Every structure is written in structure tokens, then in C-alpha cells.
Amino acid sequence: MGSKTYKVTSPVMGTFYRASAPGEKPLVEVGQKVNAAEVVCMIESMKIFTELRADQPGTVKKILVENEEPVMKNQELIEIEIA
Amino acid sequence: MTESKFNKILIANRGEIAVRIIRACKEMGIKTVAVFSDADADALQVKYADEAVNIGPALSRKSYLNMDSIIQAATGTKVDAVHPGYGFLSENADFAKACVDNNLVFIGPSAECIAASGNKSAARKTLMALGISIIPGSDDIISSPEEAFEVAMDVGYPVILKASGGGGGRGMRIANDQNELADALAVASGEARAAFGNPDLYLEKYIEKPRHIEIQIIGDHFGNYVHLGERECSIQMRYQKLIEESPSPFVDEALRNKLGETAIQVARLIGYTNAGTMEFLVDKNKNFYFMEVNARIQVEHPVTELVTGLDIVQQQILLAQGEKLPLRQDEIRLNGWSLECRINAADPADNFMPSPGEIQKLILPNGPGVRVDTHIYNHYVISPFYDSLIGKLVVWAKDRDMAIKRMQRALSEFQIEGIKSTIPFHQRVFQDEDFIRGDIDTHFLEKFADLH
């Protein structure tokens, strides 16, 4: 109860990718521990891939978007429970 | 190769280059067929072409990279030839071959030649035998991280990864040590696959502080070649060119002749036909290293057009029809100076973050010596699925100084609202003293990185 979480959001309109390259395994799964600055997903916009990183260490609680789905700027992508 | 005039051409591309090619065709009395994805139903290429065919969903690999659907559009509309533009399938040998197999002329070099241009290992060995200097690196595609580490140790860090399937900075990453190289391999490969449908990478020693200078060549099917001088393309951000000019303030007549001769030597070696570009890195002592063949029309071709007076896209079409080169090398004169700014939907104040969205207001510059190649218009929606290039602002004047003043003036007229663009960034570069002096290298823009 009351555990603190934060959400990784998309800096740009684009396409959400859970892996760093097609065919690779997802960067994170629900329940996985992440370190601060660890890459948790990728956004592709206008053919440029941007790595999105965890702000603080924690545990992945929810992945809010399906792989390869279009996302809007500022859309919430991954919820992380702060360690 | 028998000469026969084209009645109708399909343009297998989108954006400003599709519009550019349609314009060339119209002026030659050739009918045009545009292709478009679901995201591009309102695109200018659809409005300008005589016919337009939907080739699939927004994602490039399902539309503009979908060979079957493009070939079907071409045969269905009974075109004589296909112009691939740049990017997408333009340097895909399988696509060039698929065109020929379906009795369509591919406007570009042959499939074999595209394959040879792309085959860096074969090219490297032959070039070395000819005494043409090249940058040390992997002889072939990198097949594993271990192999990449080994080659990198051999040539020494820093090293650069490049996409085998194309240029334009996609899939390019620099690594200063083995850890960085490990990370760069995964990201670069993903970018290369997304941009070119081909994840293959090769690795080279990274030469610091070089100039990027390239030579435009055209060749017919009878072994005749001319070069159209150089383009200076050193102003780059993340290996994406942003400003190009012709001639280069660094290149004198002697260097131009040497680069031009080398470019034609390479073209002849691989049996190159049609328009192409040979890219070189030139160090501060004017040593040059051949980098690669760009087997396509290039984004920055207009600067060459403005100083030579030749329409390169129309030349491509004429050469693909089997015509002979219309002039000899001694008839090519570079007249005046041309500069191009790439206008991208990207935010220079936020590390060039892509900025898709709707154009809410648009005022294009014009007046003496100004050319704008663009596909955007008021209320056009720039989609996140494709390249951020939304237009090219090109100027011509009788010398570099006047061309710079003309570009400053044109940039001050250019207004886009609703999205972020590179216009404010170009305004700053065109006030920079080093730039104005012509003192530039491929690291020039790094000093702008911290000045937000």
C-alpha cells in the first residue's frame, strides 16, 4: 500500500518498441528490477530511435503500451515502483 | 541498350523528392504515377501526379519498402520506368532487378552495379589495388560483436559503425572503447533495419576533424562520364547533413580535378551508369579518402544543379532512356555559388528531437536566387513514420559571400508554425564567423550543442 511509482513517458510522437532491435528480447519485463539510467524501452520517431531510461532505481510494475504501437508525446509508457 | 522515350514513370518515393521528380517529368512531357501509404493520402505527390496508387499501411516496410506492392502498382499503371528517389528502395539491388524482370526501366545504375557499390569488401580490395586510398576498417559486414571488437582493436579506437544498406546517418554510431562499441552495435543495427530494411553494419577507423566532400558524377551506357564538381557537406549533426554547398570553399582547381578523376575512376571500375555520388573524407592537408558510392540521386543535388545549370533528375531520365551524355568534361563550368539548408521537423533547442505534427502557418521564402523544394503546405500533417526532412531551401548567387547574405535573407522570410523546425538553427549557423569564413569540418556543429 502506498508504494511510490513513477512513469516513463514518451518525449515525442512515434512508435513504441520494447526491444532495442527487432528480434531481440524485450529490454524489461514486469517484475524486473531496473537501475537508474537503465534503458527500458525505445521510441522511434521519424526514423530516429531514442532510448528511454529509468529515472530512479525500482521495479517494473506495468507496461502500459503494446510493442510497436503508436504513441503520442508525453504518453505514459512504463510504470516503475521506486525501490 | 536501345533508346526509347518514356511515356510514363512511377515514382517509388514520397516527400520532397517525389515532388521534385514529378516536376522533372512534367517538364519533359512524361506522365507520372505517384505511390502513397495510408498516412500519405493528402501528400503533394498524390495531388501533383497524373495517377496515384495506394501501396499499403503507414509503416515504411509495409508500403514504401514493399517491393511487391510497388511493382504491382507499376505494372498495373503500365509505366515504362520507375524512379526510386533516395532512401527507401533506391539502393536495393533486388528492387532494381525486380523492375527489370517486370520490363520496367529502373532509373539508376544496374542491379549488379548497386550490389557492387554496396559490397564494401570487394570494392575495398579493388580500390586498394588501384592505389585509391580508403579508410581502414572491416573488410566485410560485421557478423558478431567479437569480430567488431577484433577489427576495432586492429585499426584503433575511435571507430565508426555504418549501415551497409544506405547512408544519411541512419545506423551510424561512433565508439571510443569496447563498451561503447557493444552498445552501439545493437542500436545502429536497429536503426539500419528500420531505415533500409537491412540490419548489416560495417566498421571503420574514425578520422577526426575531416571534411565531407563528395563528387557528383553522371555516366551513360556507352562508357562516357563527367563529374559535376564537388559538394561540401561538412555541416552535419549526428552524421546527418544539414547544410551543403557547391563549390566547396576548401577545394581548389587541383583538388577538384583529382577528386573528379578519382570519382570517375571508381565509377568506371564498377560499370556505373546514371547519376551517382562518390563520397570522400578530406583531411586538413587535403589528403582524401574514398568513402563510398551513393548509387542514387541525393538530397543535396540542387546545389550542383544551380552552379552547373544542369537538371540532374532530367539527366537521369534521359540516361535511363539510353541517351548519350550531352556534354564533355571541358564543357562543364561551375558558375557562382549555391548553398542549401535542410529544413527538418526537429527541435534544435531539444537536441534535434523529431517534431511531427500539423503545420498551422506556412510562409515560404522566394525572390531572386531562391529555390524551395518541399512537399509541405498549410495544414499538412507531418507524420512520425518518415524522415524529418520537410524541405530544402537552396540559394544561388555569384559568390559565396553573396550566397550567404541571400540565405540569411531567405531564412528570415521562412515561417513555419505548429511544429519545430531547423530554421532558427540555420539562422545561427549563417551568423557564425567560422562558417562565414568557410572554416568548417564535420565537427563544426559540436560547438552549437551547448549553446541552447
Side-chain angles (χ1 to χ4, degrees):
Chain A
M1 247 312 276
S3 63
K4 279 197 180 153
T5 67
Y6 69 95
K7 289 171 182 129
V8 178
T9 61
S10 180
V12 63
M13 187 202 291
T15 307
F16 172 77
Y17 289 99
R18 289 190 55 195
S20 61
E24 302 265 309
K25 62 183 199 321
L27 289 153
V28 294
E29 297 286 359
V30 172
Q32 187 177 327
K33 286 200 173 14
V34 292
N35 300 316
E38 183 171 335
V39 178
V40 293
C41 64
M42 312 281 290
I43 297 291
E44 179 196 359
S45 183
M46 299 181 134
K47 302 198 297 190
I48 303 290
F49 282 81
T50 305
E51 299 171 331
L52 301 190
R53 294 166 187 276
D55 286 344
Q56 319 174 33
T59 307
V60 177
K61 198 174 168 192
K62 260 188 201 154
I63 295 168
L64 303 160
V65 180
E66 291 289 318
N67 189 39
E68 288 195 30
E69 283 292 300
V71 294
M72 300 304 290
K73 186 171 180 165
N74 299 325
Q75 185 172 337
E76 296 173 343
L77 306 171
I78 295 178
E79 188 175 356
I80 295 174
E81 194 171 286
I82 297 168
Chain B
M1 180 93 199
T2 53
E3 191 176 322
S4 67
K5 300 234 182 291
F6 300 146
N7 291 312
K8 207 200 272 190
I9 291 175
L10 179 137
I11 296 100
N13 214 298
R14 66 176 303 282
E16 69 85 20
I17 195 62
V19 171
R20 167 73 188 89
I21 297 162
I22 292 169
R23 286 177 172 146
C25 292
K26 279 190 176 175
E27 291 174 9
M28 298 171 86
I30 298 170
K31 291 215 174 340
T32 51
V33 178
V35 295
F36 65 100
S37 72
D38 292 346
D40 273 346
D42 294 325
L44 215 50
Q45 84 255 21
V46 175
K47 297 179 204 287
Y48 282 180
D50 296 297
E51 295 169 65
V53 181
N54 182 317
I55 49 163
L59 280 181
S60 297
R61 66 183 150 83
K62 296 181 178 172
S63 49
Y64 298 105
L65 288 170
N66 184 339
M67 288 190 219
D68 291 346
S69 138
I70 292 171
I71 294 288
Q72 210 177 346
T75 52
T77 52
K78 300 190 163 51
V79 300
D80 304 299
V82 173
H83 197 306
Y86 53 66
F88 295 124
L89 295 170
S90 61
E91 291 177 275
N92 186 312
D94 294 338
F95 181 64
K97 184 171 184 302
C99 287
V100 174
D101 290 347
N102 285 277
N103 292 318
L104 302 160
V105 176
F106 177 82
I107 301 175
S110 66
E112 295 74 24
C113 188
I114 293 173
S117 305
N119 187 342
K120 315 279 189 228
S121 63
R124 288 174 69 87
K125 286 181 190 123
T126 330
L127 292 172
M128 281 192 278
L130 277 176
I132 295 169
S133 58
I134 50 167
I135 301 162
S138 63
D139 283 338
D140 211 334
I141 292 156
I142 294 289
S143 57
S144 68
E146 291 69 30
E147 189 192 339
F149 300 153
E150 203 173 296
V151 177
M153 285 292 282
D154 225 31
V155 302
Y157 287 95
V159 295
I160 183 163
L161 289 170
K162 294 183 176 181
S164 175
R170 312 289 176 216
M172 286 172 68
R173 294 277 159 139
I174 293 182
N176 290 301
D177 56 44
Q178 186 159 321
N179 285 338
E180 286 184 20
L181 182 55
D183 293 345
L185 282 165
V187 177
S189 180
E191 281 187 4
R193 189 195 298 260
F196 312 112
N198 175 357
D200 293 340
L201 301 171
Y202 63 102
L203 183 149
E204 277 176 1
K205 181 171 178 62
Y206 181 60
I207 294 187
E208 292 175 75
K209 296 261 173 199
R211 284 181 183 245
H212 176 126
I213 292 171
E214 60 189 29
I215 299 284
Q216 176 75 55
I217 61 119
I218 48 176
D220 62 20
H221 289 271
F222 310 96
N224 302 307
Y225 294 95
V226 292
H227 73 82
L228 306 180
E230 76 280 7
R231 289 186 289 258
E232 163 73 66
C233 308
S234 297
I235 306 291
Q236 305 183 356
M237 177 70 77
R238 294 180 190 150
Y239 312 97
Q240 278 279 82
K241 298 166 188 166
L242 280 168
I243 297 170
E244 300 99 342
E245 61 187 298
S246 183
S248 162
F250 190 64
V251 174
D252 53 28
E253 199 59 36
L255 181 56
R256 179 172 306 122
N257 290 338
K258 269 198 268 179
L259 288 168
E261 280 163 22
T262 307
I264 289 174
Q265 206 181 353
V266 174
R268 206 178 287 286
L269 176 74
I270 57 178
Y272 199 94
T273 53
N274 214 277
T277 297
M278 309 301 168
E279 291 191 338
F280 296 90
L281 277 187
V282 183
D283 72 16
K284 60 180 195 290
N285 300 316
K286 300 196 172 168
N287 299 311
F288 58 86
Y289 302 90
F290 171 79
M291 281 200 294
E292 60 182 25
V293 182
N294 292 149
R296 58 166 193 273
I297 188 78
Q298 281 191 282
V299 174
E300 59 272 26
H301 74 277
V303 295
T304 301
E305 294 187 323
L306 295 189
V307 293
T308 59
L310 277 175
D311 185 311
I312 297 172
V313 177
Q314 292 189 351
Q315 285 303 321
Q316 286 190 290
I317 293 169
L318 294 170
L319 293 168
Q321 283 179 169
E323 294 184 25
K324 280 195 170 150
L325 272 187
L327 25 70
R328 298 185 314 265
Q329 192 64 52
D330 59 12
E331 295 172 287
I332 308 238
R333 295 264 180 280
L334 302 187
N335 175 32
W337 211 281
S338 181
L339 285 155
E340 173 181 278
C341 287
R342 294 194 189 192
I343 312 301
N344 294 331
D347 185 359
D350 185 16
N351 202 22
F352 289 81
M353 184 63 82
S355 182
E358 183 184 334
I359 309 262
Q360 275 147 15
K361 181 182 168 192
L362 180 66
I363 299 175
L364 295 177
N366 49 41
V370 175
R371 166 174 167 180
V372 182
D373 282 20
T374 185
H375 59 289
I376 64 168
Y377 52 84
N378 208 3
H379 300 300
Y380 175 75
V381 179
I382 299 161
S383 101
F385 296 106
Y386 312 111
D387 197 275
S388 63
L389 182 75
I390 54 171
K392 305 182 308 207
L393 172 56
V394 197
V395 300
W396 181 91
K398 73 176 173 50
D399 58 36
R400 189 168 190 268
D401 196 39
M402 291 182 70
I404 287 173
K405 289 193 172 75
R406 184 160 275 169
M407 184 63 90
Q408 290 167 343
R409 186 267 293 169
L411 285 165
S412 75
E413 294 175 0
F414 206 151
Q415 287 184 43
I416 305 178
E417 287 176 18
I419 57 142
K420 303 285 187 196
S421 84
T422 48
I423 294 168
F425 162 83
H426 287 302
Q427 286 177 310
R428 282 174 44 208
V429 174
F430 274 81
Q431 296 294 341
D432 182 88
E433 282 175 20
D434 291 337
F435 178 79
I436 289 169
R437 267 203 313 274
D439 183 10
I440 49 181
D441 61 54
T442 58
H443 298 269
F444 173 81
L445 289 183
E446 286 170 11
K447 70 174 173 181
F448 282 78
D450 314 320
L451 295 179
H452 300 320

